[in-house]
Amino acid sequence: MIINSQFLYGLLVMACFGGCKHEPSFDPYGPGLTERLNAYNNVQSNVNNGTPDLFIDFSAGINNAFKTSTVNSLLSECFNTILTDKFEVYKLGSNEVTPLPVTNTTQLGQEISNQSNYKDIWAPIQKAVEKITAADNDALLITDFEEWNDKTEVTNTAYLKLPFSKWLAKGKSIHFFIVDYKEGNVDKHIYFTIFNSTNILLSKLSPKLSPYSTRFDLSTSAYTLSTNYADPKSGGIYNNKNDLDLKKDQYIKGEWYEYYPLGLDWKNIADIHKEVPEEFSDIFRNLFIDLSNQDSYIFKAFEVQTFNATTDFTNFAKADYTLHNPPKTTKGKNGETKISDEEKDPLILECYNDDGSIKDACKYHPQTLKPLSNYFHLNQPLFDNTSKSDNKHIELGITFDFKFTPAEADTLLRINIVLTAATPNIDNLKLEKFKWVNGKGTPNIALYESIKNTLLELKPENKTIYTYYIKTL
């Protein structure tokens, strides 16, 4: 699904707000449920229509790096990999970011080899990064990150902290592939930096760059989730007898959520739990998280939060239905647009004005859901024990609370696994790769400070990483 869910929130309408005179003409859990849940769960699609961008530093100093065998080889690998698709190429030089009119790798290689392109040292790194982070496209930036301001080298100021933070706050990540080289007797670095939005560019270039570089992932979500279900149609329910009467043909597994329609009400589920607690100490298992990547953060604690989402999702579903089923319209005797007499859907008639426009009073407003007590919690011993054995394969199990007391009105429960504590890994030795001493003997820590301050500001706490929906009778 390509629709941005936050944008959708602004457009959707809520029918029957305050009561309806007619029965709804649709089922919130009926056709289109997968797409509806995708939007409701704030799942963003990895499909991006924007053209990826390539930004190349053409400052005089970096010309020496491009001549080294390793860097030159990696440039060729990158160009041959990414320029097979449509790409926009930009040149950084003379304090400007300008389009470079090339259409193939041969032309780009000629531009790299053309010594007249390296006129000065004024490559506007900050302008380039701001341009990248203002968009939502994948981008590759090749630079040494040496920024100059009024002919003075920026050596201490965290000049990229704001655009880095802006990009990560949008749920995206930045991946640095760092190659060491020498400029005379000075130790320097060149950075092949991927601004990752869709994972497409990263997946293409990472195998090419990783063997010859140090990789650092600047990300608030440098973890991966996976499932290992014996029966994919049964999901992660921790019982092989189907005592909960899962409607397997209606089960949905999204990218970051799962939907479980059960054929029982909560009273019966509570009774089963009491009768066979040994079989139902856990309700969900076989969800695993890889926490081995600690470049940016050390992820320390998770918890489970449960919400009654019944009313909120119903309102959202009505809004979604109304938006995608506009009324039939016709022209009145004076040429005005009006709802056709053929339109009979009571929900549509309730939510649209006579001229076919959506009523302002019907706009959808998401509720602030309050966590429920005595439902479910994280199986902490399982998490701790699997963490000790393999931090690449830690199990996130959800267990019944020992005071499990569900309410009959909880038709749809939303169960979130939430990251509650993460520590910026500012002691990571890889961060030394973002420092250097320039030709005058002055330490340059501006890029290091940009990354460190980004990590300190964007601590990913109280962040939902996975969701289970349970629908009962």
Side-chain angles (χ1 to χ4, degrees), residues 309-322:
T310 308
T311 300
D312 190 53
F313 179 72
T314 298
N315 290 340
F316 185 93
K318 290 175 180 178
D320 182 64
Y321 176 86
T322 305

Side-chain angles (χ1 to χ4, degrees), residues 257-304:
Y257 75 91
E258 296 176 50
Y259 169 74
Y260 292 84
L262 307 180
L264 303 176
D265 58 22
W266 282 112
K267 181 180 184 304
N268 284 315
I269 294 173
D271 290 342
I272 292 173
H273 172 61
K274 291 177 183 178
E275 292 171 4
V276 285
E278 67 283 355
E279 292 186 22
F280 277 109
S281 58
D282 290 334
I283 186 168
F284 294 120
R285 288 282 291 270
N286 292 311
L287 172 68
F288 299 91
I289 188 167
D290 180 347
L291 296 180
S292 61
N293 188 334
Q294 299 183 353
D295 279 0
S296 293
Y297 295 96
I298 299 172
F299 303 104
K300 292 191 171 183
F302 298 82
E303 69 177 37
V304 169

Side-chain angles (χ1 to χ4, degrees), residues 122-173:
W122 320 121
I125 309 301
Q126 184 172 349
K127 284 183 182 179
V129 173
E130 289 173 347
K131 180 177 176 63
I132 292 170
T133 55
D136 288 318
N137 309 326
D138 283 347
L140 171 63
L141 170 62
I142 303 173
T143 182
D144 58 7
F145 280 106
E146 291 185 356
E147 175 79 346
W148 293 76
N149 189 349
D150 292 331
K151 297 184 179 182
T152 301
E153 184 179 0
V154 178
T155 58
N156 293 287
T157 305
Y159 71 103
L160 293 176
K161 182 248 184 181
L162 288 178
F164 281 176
S165 299
K166 177 181 178 180
W167 184 260
L168 265 64
K170 293 193 285 187
K172 305 178 190 300
S173 55

Side-chain angles (χ1 to χ4, degrees), residues 92-250:
L92 280 58
S94 301
N95 279 324
E96 297 294 335
V97 179
T98 56
L100 195 62
V102 297
T103 58
N104 55 59
T105 55
T106 300
Q107 290 179 345
L108 184 53
Q110 291 171 343
E111 293 290 342
I112 295 293
S113 301
N114 185 352
Q115 298 304 301
S116 66
N117 280 324
Y118 304 91
K119 297 177 181 178
D120 51 50
I121 60 176
W122 320 121
I125 309 301
Q126 184 172 349
K127 284 183 182 179
V129 173
E130 289 173 347
K131 180 177 176 63
I132 292 170
T133 55
D136 288 318
N137 309 326
D138 283 347
L140 171 63
L141 170 62
I142 303 173
T143 182
D144 58 7
F145 280 106
E146 291 185 356
E147 175 79 346
W148 293 76
N149 189 349
D150 292 331
K151 297 184 179 182
T152 301
E153 184 179 0
V154 178
T155 58
N156 293 287
T157 305
Y159 71 103
L160 293 176
K161 182 248 184 181
L162 288 178
F164 281 176
S165 299
K166 177 181 178 180
W167 184 260
L168 265 64
K170 293 193 285 187
K172 305 178 190 300
S173 55
I174 305 173
H175 306 267
F176 300 87
F177 295 84
I178 310 162
V179 181
D180 301 331
Y181 74 99
K182 276 187 174 291
E183 185 176 300
N185 294 322
V186 179
D187 293 317
K188 301 188 72 173
H189 315 291
I190 186 170
Y191 303 85
F192 293 78
T193 306
I194 297 174
F195 290 78
N196 180 43
S197 178
T198 70
N199 286 325
I200 296 174
L201 189 59
L202 180 64
S203 64
K204 286 183 177 181
L205 292 182
S206 176
K208 310 287 186 182
L209 295 169
S210 294
Y212 306 99
S213 63
T214 299
R215 174 172 172 171
F216 180 88
D217 299 321
L218 181 58
S219 171
T220 60
S221 55
Y223 47 78
T224 55
L225 292 161
S226 62
T227 57
N228 183 21
Y229 296 155
D231 178 7
K233 293 184 179 180
S234 296
I237 288 182
Y238 196 58
N239 176 271
N240 58 13
K241 298 179 181 179
N242 201 19
D243 291 333
L244 299 183
D245 192 20
L246 171 66
K247 305 304 180 184
K248 295 184 179 183
D249 60 330
Q250 300 172 32

